[in-house]
Amino acid sequence: MTMPLSKLEKYFYIDKLVIHSLDLSLYQVSVVIDGEEHYVTDDKGQFLRAFSIVELQKQCRKLKAKQQVLRQQSAYDEMVGQPSRDSSNLLEVPLKDNKLY
C-alpha cells in the first residue's frame, strides 16, 4: 500500500517513520499508521528514495511521527552458506532527526 507524502503531511499522525536500507547507500521510506505499513510516494506516485538518510529526513520533516527507525534486513546469511533461520534477521535502529539539513 502506498500513500503520498503531501497527504501524510496534512492529515495523519504517524506511529513510526521507517527508513529502509535497501542497498549500500539507497534508502526508501514507509510509515506505520494504526498498525498498517504504507510506503511513501511523491505526488507522481514514485517511491520516496534517496542516497542519504539525512535527505529523507529533510523530505519528511513535516510529518508528525512519534518514532523514527532505520530498518535493515540482510540476505547475506544465505549468500555465505549460513543455515536457514526460522526467524527473520530484521534489525531496527532508533533514529532521531537532528535537523542536519
Side-chain angles (χ1 to χ4, degrees), residues 38-70:
H38 305 270
Y39 282 92
V40 181
T41 63
D42 60 17
D43 289 331
K44 295 178 184 177
Q46 299 294 316
F47 287 116
L48 207 58
R49 290 185 176 165
F51 294 107
S52 161
I53 293 171
V54 174
E55 177 59 33
L56 286 177
Q57 287 177 324
K58 179 180 179 182
Q59 291 179 43
C60 296
R61 68 185 173 274
K62 294 180 183 176
L63 296 181
K64 300 168 205 87
K66 296 177 187 173
Q67 173 183 16
Q68 273 190 31
V69 297
L70 173 65

Side-chain angles (χ1 to χ4, degrees), residues 6-17:
S6 57
K7 185 176 181 180
L8 288 166
E9 290 174 344
K10 292 178 186 175
Y11 300 110
F12 291 95
Y13 286 93
I14 297 158
D15 297 321
K16 187 190 295 187
L17 175 73

Side-chain angles (χ1 to χ4, degrees), residues 28 62 64 71 87:
Q28 183 171 304
K62 294 180 183 176
K64 300 168 205 87
R71 182 184 288 172
S87 61

